[in-house]
Amino acid sequence: LKNLIKKFASGVKVYIVGGTGLEELIEKGDLQNRKINNIIHKSLDPLLKKRVDAIALGCTHYPFLKVQIQKIVGNKVQIVDSGGAVARQAKKILTNNKTLSIKREEDYFYTTGDKKRFKIAIKKLLKRDIKNIEKIVK
């Protein structure tokens, strides 16, 4: 993270906020949970007092909260979602390694957690049922 900030945000004041516990709540699929709004406020209110003009979502879970975050920070604060950049980099790596599939047949999902809970959360978060879930052992 420090290298990325140095490379792409040289001369910009960057505040790092982490360890909020949002990931676990998002993984339950209940985005309307009051705890989520409380954590967002607790995490971002100090940044708003510093009059930040942009917030980068630094976790793959946070785009699910983008609408809620935007409501809290207002339209003057830009929210940067790195999901597109991560997907493009993954595609680049798969292409370079000649492992990118050109056929799109089915989606596969991987989790280090409980497959049943993961399926329930995905159904809530993505509004679709999924079949292919694999558990990855850490």
Side-chain angles (χ1 to χ4, degrees), residues 81-99:
D81 178 357
S82 61
V86 170
R88 287 186 299 276
Q89 180 66 12
K91 182 178 180 181
K92 180 180 172 183
I93 291 169
L94 292 170
T95 300
N96 289 342
N97 292 334
K98 296 180 177 30
T99 54

Side-chain angles (χ1 to χ4, degrees), residues 15-26:
Y15 302 98
I16 300 171
V17 178
T20 62
L22 282 173
E23 296 83 3
E24 292 82 8
L25 292 169
I26 294 167

Side-chain angles (χ1 to χ4, degrees), residues 6 10-11 16 32 36 43 50 75 78-79 82 98 130:
K6 186 176 180 179
S10 177
I16 300 171
Q32 303 311 312
I36 289 177
S43 300
K50 294 177 189 218
N75 291 329
Q78 178 186 6
I79 296 179
S82 61
K98 296 180 177 30
I130 60 172

Side-chain angles (χ1 to χ4, degrees), residues 34-88:
R34 282 186 313 176
K35 290 180 185 178
I36 289 177
N37 265 356
N38 291 340
I39 293 170
I40 293 171
H41 273 287
K42 185 177 177 181
S43 300
L44 299 182
D45 284 349
L47 297 179
L48 294 175
K49 288 179 183 170
K50 294 177 189 218
R51 304 179 72 83
V52 298
D53 55 4
I55 295 174
L57 304 179
C59 172
T60 57
H61 292 58
Y62 296 166
F64 291 110
L65 303 176
K66 189 174 179 178
V67 171
Q68 288 166 270
I69 292 170
Q70 192 73 69
K71 282 182 185 175
I72 290 169
V73 302
N75 291 329
K76 291 183 180 179
V77 178
Q78 178 186 6
I79 296 179
V80 180
D81 178 357
S82 61
V86 170
R88 287 186 299 276

